[in-house]
Amino acid sequence: MVTWQGGAHLAACLDALAAQSRPHATVVVDNGSTDGTAELLAARAADLTVLRLPRNRGYAGGLAAALATGFSTGLGTGLSTVRTPFVAWLNDDTVPDRNWLGALEDALDDDPRAAAVAGPLIRPDGSIQSTGVRLTDQGYGADAPAGGPPAFGFCGGAALLRTGALADAGGVPAGFFCYYEDTDTAWRLRLAGWDIRRVDGVPVIHLHGASSGLGSRAFHRWNERNRLLMLVRCAPPGVAMREWARFAAITVALPLRRLRGVGVPDEPNFAVSLRLRVLAELLVRLPAALIARIRIGRRAEVRRRAVWRAWSGR
């Protein structure tokens, strides 16, 4: 579990983990919180392993830091001993059903082709937030609705993965900071020939956006930037180039639309300053993304075009 300034909701999550019906070890990554989180975790030290980072490295960075400590293998440490076959990702603003972990473990045990499995995320009022991640025809990862077809990927807020499959696929993209680390991972698992499953009946209550703030400038910046980086890393080249060009064209068109008096949505992702920052960050990160693309391609068992055709727009 990764937390940052999560003192207001962290205790409920830890209580739900302590009540799980399946034995497990809990590792909490504290991203340099200053709100009393460290003291809260210290009071529960007997039940937890706490990794306290000196600065906030985001959800993706926190996961990568935990995976590199040695309770898993092959994720940047050179370790050769697998200490756990499965690793769960969990947001600090969640409350999983007491049978959540056991049901997910059983699902992976029952399906050797599956590398990741997740149950539904629900809002505090009981309504469905997500049953997984679907891949739109523009390469966005979007919440899959209830009752729909199998989802392309899993929501990283509450999921269980095979440690070995995750390692072989390249681990967690720590540089994403947060958002799209789950969809990028789903892409790489699909390319490697793995399946991703959904398990019903073990809901996870999720506050959603408690740390980053849904709709904030930071939220939109990370979403837009990481989607385009993910497409460079994982998608067919034509899709990645089309979406980069679309993003740049909209950025250029926005001030022209305002000059002509044409309405522009009042959302942060339509702010030219934010979009220019995203473009600048993309250019800085492009070389590393291209190198990652080559490595991902070498591991792939399925063609990128086949994955795109099978899952995009569903």
Side-chain angles (χ1 to χ4, degrees):
M1 181 175 63
V2 179
T3 187
W4 177 73
Q5 310 291 62
H9 44 259
L10 183 58
C13 185
L14 293 174
D15 289 343
L17 283 175
Q20 289 295 300
S21 59
R22 189 65 56 89
H24 62 282
T26 300
V27 179
V28 181
V29 181
D30 180 7
N31 264 322
S33 300
T34 58
D35 67 337
T37 291
E39 291 76 13
L40 188 155
L41 293 174
R44 298 176 180 244
D47 303 317
L48 309 171
T49 297
V50 178
L51 175 61
R52 183 166 173 82
L53 303 180
R55 61 181 178 85
N56 185 6
R57 293 168 57 180
Y59 190 61
L63 287 173
L67 291 165
T69 60
F71 73 89
S72 60
T73 185
L75 298 171
T77 64
L79 298 177
S80 59
T81 302
V82 177
R83 300 182 184 177
T84 174
F86 305 140
V87 57
W89 300 2
L90 195 66
N91 279 7
D92 65 352
D93 57 355
T94 59
V95 179
D97 180 276
R98 72 179 304 272
N99 294 313
W100 170 74
L101 186 59
L104 299 192
E105 284 187 344
D106 290 343
L108 287 183
D109 280 336
D110 291 343
D111 187 354
R113 301 171 304 157
V117 62
L121 291 175
I122 64 174
R123 302 179 183 90
D125 64 5
S127 62
I128 296 290
Q129 175 203 318
S130 174
T131 60
V133 172
R134 60 186 181 88
L135 188 65
T136 75
D137 57 7
Q138 294 183 6
Y140 285 97
D143 287 328
F152 169 74
F154 59 92
C155 177
L160 186 71
L161 291 84
R162 291 189 192 278
T163 310
L166 177 61
D168 291 343
V172 183
F176 278 28
F177 193 80
C178 63
Y179 300 116
Y180 277 88
E181 69 284 327
D182 49 6
T183 312
D184 182 277
T185 299
W187 253 110
R188 289 178 284 116
L189 291 173
R190 294 279 186 194
L191 288 170
W194 289 99
D195 196 8
I196 294 167
R197 285 191 52 191
R198 180 176 68 207
V199 174
D200 296 319
V202 282
V204 175
I205 299 172
H206 186 209
L207 297 182
H208 200 201
S211 295
S212 62
L214 292 180
S216 67
R217 286 181 64 90
F219 172 87
H220 284 291
R221 168 194 161 207
W222 292 323
N223 267 274
E224 297 289 1
R225 183 194 72 186
N226 293 347
R227 172 184 69 104
L228 294 172
L229 287 174
M230 176 192 72
L231 293 177
V232 170
R233 287 160 52 92
C234 301
V239 173
M241 289 187 290
R242 182 194 71 198
E243 292 306 315
W244 276 56
R246 187 200 304 273
F247 186 87
I250 292 174
T251 303
V252 171
L254 284 172
L256 300 177
R257 288 173 63 89
R258 289 190 172 96
L259 285 174
R260 296 200 305 267
V262 179
V264 173
D266 187 22
E267 299 290 340
N269 58 320
F270 287 97
V272 174
S273 59
L274 182 145
R275 298 177 74 89
L276 289 175
R277 179 173 182 178
V278 167
L279 287 170
E281 292 181 352
L282 287 171
L283 292 175
V284 170
R285 288 165 172 77
L286 181 58
L290 291 172
I291 292 171
R293 179 183 182 85
I294 294 170
R295 292 173 177 165
I296 292 165
R298 288 173 178 167
R299 300 186 188 104
E301 298 291 336
V302 181
R303 292 176 63 86
R304 300 174 196 270
R305 178 62 61 182
V307 174
W308 178 256
R309 287 176 175 171
W311 294 102
S312 66
R314 292 181 58 175

